[in-house]
Structure formats: C-alpha cells, structure tokens
Amino acid sequence: LSAGSQLKDSVAMKKRRSRNKSLPNVDTDRLVVTNSVSTHVTLGESLLNLLYPDIAIDTNSDSCPSCSKILSEDDITHGWVPCAFKEYTTSCPQCHHRFVPKFTVSCSSPSFQGSQGIATPLYCEFLSPWVLRKEIHNILCGGIDVMLQPKWRTVSDINATLWWNTIVWLKRYKLPISFLLQGSFRNRLILPAPAETF
C-alpha cells in the first residue's frame, strides 16, 4: 500500500469512529443537582412561565419526512454527527434518512410571535450542541448583552431559534436559565431568595 492510500484509510477509519460516538441518553430524573442549582433552575422556569404563560416546548414529536416515524428527543440527538459544526441534519433511526429536525414552542400570550404570526406556535430548527455553540459564539463576539435583550428573541428568525435552542439544552441538563431572562426585568438582578437560616 502506498503512503497516500494508508492516509486515506486512516482518515476514513477516524471518521467512522467519530460517527459512532453520539450523545448519551439523558435520564433527567437521575440528574443530580445541588440545592443551589436547583433553586436557580426553579427560579428560571418560574420566570420563563411568567414571561411566556403556559409555555410548551415540544421536542418529542418531529417526524421523519421519509418514513413518518415520530422521533423522540433522544432519537434526534443520536442521529447527529458528533463534533460537526456545519451539520444541521439528524438521521432517522428507522430509515437513516437525513433531515433537519424541528421543535415547537407555544404559549398562551396574545403577543407571542410564532412562525406564522402573533399567537401561533414557533417552529425552530433543533440544533446540535456543536452547531449551537458555533452560532452562539458568532453572536457573543459582541458581548452577551445583545442576546439578553427581549427584542432579540421575539421575532421568529434565527435569533429566536438560537435562544430557544439554548433554553432547550439548559433545561435538558437541568442548568439555570434565569441569566437569559435578565433583560426582561428592567435592569434588576435576578437572584433567588436567600435560604432561611434557623
């Protein structure tokens, strides 16, 4: 074998190995968080419900356009190519068709801007953590303040998709979201109430 063909074989083998790595199944009931983090998570979810009454984020009902299989959030995450910052598609576990997954966000607020206008559901592309990281990094070059402003996330465009994907990923791993809501409360610092001491 020539050095060139050995190099090609080596690269192909590494690609196959990296594709076999995927995000692990997440049993959110078994995630352990400290009391402090739990307090911040609860505060963030309460504030999210205050801003978006009856919020519903559905990540478990997208279907494969080829075979119509309904994919769960775990099915979608397992279909992503690991570490692929430019790959927006997932693979159906049944037919292996690649497509861009979506999730929906809806709430009862009459001013909620959805994909088809006011008070309609918002359809967002479900981004892999690698793609989300790349896109958020591009935005954060100018500082996080722009992302914290409510007007940044209210229109049904890429900004809303990035913001709601960030919410989905933080909620998936039981991480606080309250810092993302900071701009909605007129320069007030959002902190949970201190624990009572007895």
Side-chain angles (χ1 to χ4, degrees):
L1 289 173
S2 70
S5 66
Q6 286 178 339
L7 180 61
K8 284 181 185 176
D9 290 343
S10 174
V11 169
M13 186 180 291
K14 284 181 183 177
K15 282 184 179 178
R16 280 194 299 271
R17 265 191 253 138
S18 73
R19 285 191 181 129
N20 292 335
K21 296 177 188 173
S22 61
L23 293 173
N25 281 340
V26 176
D27 184 359
T28 55
D29 295 332
R30 297 186 65 189
L31 287 177
V32 178
V33 296
T34 65
N35 287 337
S36 176
V37 170
S38 179
T39 301
H40 280 279
V41 168
T42 302
L43 172 67
E45 289 178 0
S46 297
L47 293 173
L48 190 66
N49 280 320
L50 180 68
L51 293 171
Y52 301 98
D54 303 316
I55 186 77
I57 303 172
D58 185 2
T59 58
N60 288 306
S61 63
D62 199 14
S63 62
C64 173
S66 179
C67 71
S68 300
K69 176 180 173 45
I70 304 293
L71 278 76
S72 69
E73 187 173 330
D74 283 334
D75 289 335
I76 291 169
T77 61
H78 284 292
W80 283 320
V81 177
C83 302
F85 294 92
K86 295 181 180 180
E87 179 63 60
Y88 288 75
T89 62
T90 189
S91 176
C92 175
Q94 183 168 302
C95 71
H96 306 290
H97 176 75
R98 296 204 67 77
F99 66 99
V100 177
K102 296 189 178 354
F103 66 91
T104 60
V105 181
S106 57
C107 80
S108 62
S109 171
S111 63
F112 182 76
Q113 178 73 35
S115 297
Q116 297 175 347
I118 301 293
T120 63
L122 177 66
Y123 297 95
C124 299
E125 292 179 354
F126 197 168
L127 304 177
S128 75
W130 303 283
V131 170
L132 182 61
R133 180 196 170 277
K134 177 194 74 163
E135 297 290 348
I136 294 291
H137 176 75
N138 292 338
I139 290 164
L140 293 182
C141 289
I144 194 168
D145 292 341
V146 69
M147 191 175 172
L148 299 181
Q149 296 308 313
K151 66 181 177 182
W152 187 81
R153 64 179 180 258
T154 54
V155 182
S156 61
D157 63 3
I158 186 65
N159 295 347
T161 294
L162 295 175
W163 196 82
W164 285 107
N165 267 274
T166 304
I167 295 291
V168 165
W169 281 105
L170 292 173
K171 285 174 67 79
R172 179 177 168 93
Y173 291 104
K174 293 190 177 182
L175 296 169
I177 60 172
S178 54
F179 73 97
L180 289 171
L181 305 169
Q182 194 72 45
S184 299
F185 293 95
R186 297 195 179 115
N187 298 326
R188 293 183 188 162
L189 184 61
I190 299 174
L191 292 173
E196 293 182 31
T197 54
F198 295 97

